[in-house]
Amino acid sequence: AEYLRITDTMFKVDTVTTADDNKRVDVKVSVTNNPGILGMVFSVSYDEATLKLIDCQNGVALSALAFQEPSRLISGCNFVWYGSETGEVMDGEMLILTFEIAENAESGTYPISILWNDGDIYDSDCDMLDPDAVQGAIIIGE
């Protein structure tokens, strides 16, 4: 079989600025130029000494797919989407991550990254996607 590699898809993790006293922060992960993602696995990495992932929600952009959240919400955990049909193909939020900030967190920038392996993302034609990624962060203010 011959597969195409599609590269104009973009994933973006938001960068969110929060006040020092705000201890819960939502970070959105979105997709643009969605060609009709049918299956995907990616992991989320962050500083566990400062941030604790306490919740996640499937976003509207991939709502037609079955969503499997990790059994443990820890840095490096995998999020999985799969289906037999893409449903309406749309751009927008695909995942919302809720973090709790440690009481002793210092002001600064705490990166949040999404990572995947080659072949972990494919569309309805079984073409592998090779999206660009914009990594995000939580910025804790003074």
Side-chain angles (χ1 to χ4, degrees):
E2 186 175 318
Y3 298 98
L4 296 175
R5 184 168 298 275
I6 298 171
T7 59
D8 61 349
T9 304
M10 170 79 70
F11 294 159
K12 180 180 183 240
V13 180
D14 283 352
T15 294
V16 178
T17 302
T18 186
D20 211 13
D21 59 348
N22 186 8
K23 295 302 176 192
R24 283 196 171 188
V25 178
D26 286 340
V27 176
K28 297 174 184 172
V29 182
S30 59
V31 59
T32 55
N33 296 320
N34 180 356
I37 294 170
L38 185 61
M40 175 169 58
V41 176
F42 68 64
S43 64
V44 174
S45 296
Y46 54 91
D47 177 359
E48 284 189 301
T50 305
L51 305 175
K52 179 180 180 182
L53 184 57
I54 59 171
D55 195 18
C56 62
Q57 296 176 6
N58 192 21
V60 67
L62 302 180
S63 60
L65 302 178
F67 173 64
Q68 181 179 338
E69 66 182 67
S71 58
R72 292 182 53 216
L73 296 175
I74 58 174
S75 184
C77 61
N78 288 323
F79 296 84
V80 179
W81 291 263
Y82 57 91
S84 57
E85 296 180 6
T86 60
E88 180 183 351
V89 176
M90 65 179 87
D91 291 349
E93 294 171 6
M94 57 185 190
L95 183 63
I96 302 166
L97 304 167
T98 302
F99 289 93
E100 186 173 80
I101 299 172
E103 289 293 328
N104 62 349
E106 296 183 12
S107 296
T109 300
Y110 298 90
I112 301 168
S113 302
I114 56 173
L115 309 162
W116 56 88
N117 294 315
D118 193 34
D120 281 351
I121 306 168
Y122 57 92
D123 68 10
S124 58
D125 294 325
C126 292
D127 291 329
M128 288 184 286
L129 303 179
D130 188 16
D132 288 326
V134 175
Q135 308 300 348
I138 293 176
I139 302 172
I140 301 173
E142 298 281 330

